[in-house]
């Protein structure tokens, strides 16, 4: 009989479905689109390694690297943000998942259409280590990118 | 009036096709909307079952050559025809020209859509269809015993198989028991929760209807809606001797009939929203172990009343 009182309460409360323009509220621990800060990124590519859904791509070039993020493939697990030692990645709290951001849900016509890419010039390493580490960061991303 | 004309009017106008087809869509909408509201959903708009029907009519179906295709196309039409005939037999209006034994015809016509569903599932040669048909067959064997015993006990206590006489009877304890037994059987007859296993959509897609599309599926939907009208209408005519009392004014009789039918639809919707689907063995056990005793009690007391009182 408990179920009947529950049904009666539901009936009196009315429907809870949000009709289209209305959006659900974002909770405090909501994980939205991943935000990238090129100024903080060192190009270590740990995020790419930790990304299980292969939403993050990383290409190392000479003196620069390209970091790209495909929100269509992202599962919003937050592993990349957890692993980022430089805090260059953040979970967007107000940036809602894709379908909620625009008035109409995005339509893919080609794969990776929603991808955002950043090409960042590689910063010189911090000044303390002198000669050896200068060479070290350059080859470092390459294995990361090849993994 | 010419009895032939009356019969045609009943079959084609009220409570036959002209009334029953919109009523079928309306009942389907009432059921879907009520269940949705009880689950805190919005539910379909008022015209949705009608637009579903129209949309399905406009779709093309894959070609099915040969006798198998012909048989597959024939089942939904037979189901629609028999369900519409069952609605047409309901004694809603005064002097509607019933005949002795029309209750038996009504029961047969009510049963025919279920048989069509079983046959359709097997003739579609889909594994899901066959599973659904087997479930429908097992279920129909279970609930029909109770359903038929209940109706026969009501008829035996009134000493007639004429629907018009049954609609005009005054309720006794026995008829109330019979009506309750019929109500218990209706969820299985209409494939709603907790007896929705023949078309358990999360498990076996649509069961017997899996291979159907387009106009044929539209006919199945229509047959299902007409079954709703016939089954709830049967209960409505049995519940209310008021319909017979209001026979002086046909309009009032029709109105009471519709209101009672909608009440039965709402009751069944509450049941559907409140329960989950039972497994086939639980369903069969429910009818054979729990309900059959009452049905046997009802018919034995009916026979007692018939012969010794």
């Amino acid at each position: 009989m408990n179920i009947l009182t529950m049904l009666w309460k539901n009936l009196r409360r009315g429907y809870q479905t949000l009709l289209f323009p209305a959006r659900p509220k974002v909770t405090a621990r909501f994980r939205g689109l991943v935000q990238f800060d090129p100024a903080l990124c060192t190009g270590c590519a740990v995020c790419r390694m930790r990304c299980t859904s292969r939403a993050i791509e990383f290409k190392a070039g000479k003196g620069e690297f390209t970091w790209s993020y495909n929100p269509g493939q992202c599962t919003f697990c937050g592993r990349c943000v957890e692993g980022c030692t430089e805090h260059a990645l953040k979970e967007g709290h107000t940036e809602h998942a894709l379908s909620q951001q625009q008035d109409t849900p995005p339509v893919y016509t080609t794969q990776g259409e929603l991808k955002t890419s950043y090409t960042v010039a590689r910063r010189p390493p911090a000044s303390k280590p002198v000669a050896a580490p200068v060479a070290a960061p350059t080859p470092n991303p390459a294995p990361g990118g090849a993994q | 009036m010419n009895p032939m004309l009356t019969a045609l009017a009943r079959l084609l106008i009220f409570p036959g096709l002209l009334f029953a087809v919109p009523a079928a869509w309306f009942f389907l909408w009432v059921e879907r909307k009520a269940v949705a509201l009880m689950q805190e959903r919005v539910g379909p708009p008022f015209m949705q079952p009608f637009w579903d029907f129209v949309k399905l009519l406009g779709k093309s179906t894959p070609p099915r050559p040969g006798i198998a295709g012909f048989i597959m196309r024939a089942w939904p039409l037979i189901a629609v025809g028999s369900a519409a005939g069952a609605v047409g037999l309901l004694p809603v209006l005064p002097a509607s020209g019933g005949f002795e034994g029309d209750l038996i015809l009504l029961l047969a016509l009510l049963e025919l859509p279920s048989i069509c569903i079983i046959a359709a599932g097997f003739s579609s040669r889909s594994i899901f269809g066959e599973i659904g048909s087997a479930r429908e067959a097992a279920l129909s064997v279970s609930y029909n015993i109770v359903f038929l015993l209940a109706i026969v006990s009501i008829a035996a206590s009134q000493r007639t198989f004429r629907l018009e006489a049954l609609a005009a009877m005054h309720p006794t304890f026995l008829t109330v028991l019979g009506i309750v037994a019929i109500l218990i059987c209706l969820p299985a007859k209409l494939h709603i929760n907790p007896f929705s296993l023949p078309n358990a959509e999360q498990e076996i897609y649509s069961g017997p209807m899996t291979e159907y599309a387009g106009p044929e599926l539209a006919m199945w939907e229509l047959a299902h809606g007409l079954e709703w009208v016939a089954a709830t209408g049967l209960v409505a005519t049995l519940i209310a001797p008021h319909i017979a009392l209001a026979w002086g004014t046909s309009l009032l009789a029709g109105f009471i009939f519709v209101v009672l039918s909608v009440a039965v639809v709402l009751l069944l919707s509450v049941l559907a929203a409140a329960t989950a689907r039972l497994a086939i063995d639980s369903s069969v056990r429910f009818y054979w172990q729990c309900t059959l005793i009452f049905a046997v009690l009802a018919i034995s007391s009916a026979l007692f009343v018939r012969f010794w009182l």
Side-chain angles (χ1 to χ4, degrees), chain A residues 28-102:
Chain A
R29 298 178 65 190
F30 176 78
R31 287 199 287 248
L33 295 178
V34 173
Q35 305 295 307
F36 178 68
D37 187 352
L40 292 177
C41 184
T42 54
C44 66
V46 165
C47 50
R48 184 211 168 276
M49 196 181 74
R50 288 177 70 92
C51 181
T52 47
S53 59
R54 299 187 185 178
I56 292 177
E57 279 174 32
F58 187 87
K59 271 182 197 152
K62 270 193 175 176
E64 60 176 27
F65 58 90
T66 306
W67 182 92
S68 34
Y69 168 60
N70 184 2
Q73 218 162 323
C74 183
T75 56
F76 309 100
C77 65
R79 270 173 57 85
C80 51
V81 179
E82 260 173 41
C84 186
T85 50
E86 305 298 322
H87 305 291
L89 292 181
K90 283 195 185 66
E91 286 153 352
H93 289 293
T94 51
E95 291 79 5
H96 220 292
L98 284 177
S99 58
Q100 303 286 337
Q101 259 196 341
Q102 300 148 9

Side-chain angles (χ1 to χ4, degrees), chain A residues 3-4 7 9-11 13-17 19, chain B residues 34 36-42 270 273-275:
Chain A
I3 184 82
L4 291 182
L7 290 179
K9 272 182 197 163
N10 286 354
L11 199 62
R13 207 166 357 163
Y15 60 80
Q16 301 292 306
T17 315
L19 295 178
Chain B
L37 286 178
M38 281 182 274
Q39 293 171 345
E40 298 194 329
R41 293 186 284 115
V42 179
V270 171
T275 52

Side-chain angles (χ1 to χ4, degrees), chain B residues 144-185:
Chain B
N144 264 328
I145 301 279
V146 182
F147 187 68
L148 295 179
L149 281 183
I151 287 185
V152 166
S153 69
I154 294 174
S157 69
Q158 298 294 320
R159 307 181 183 205
T160 178
F161 274 108
R162 198 185 167 99
L163 275 168
E164 210 165 285
L166 286 180
M169 74 188 172
H170 285 282
T172 59
F173 174 70
L174 198 64
T175 53
V176 172
L177 202 67
I179 288 166
V180 170
I182 293 172
L183 276 177
I184 290 174
C185 296

Side-chain angles (χ1 to χ4, degrees), chain B residues 244-255:
Chain B
L245 291 179
W247 272 356
T249 51
S250 306
L251 204 64
L252 189 63
F255 180 71

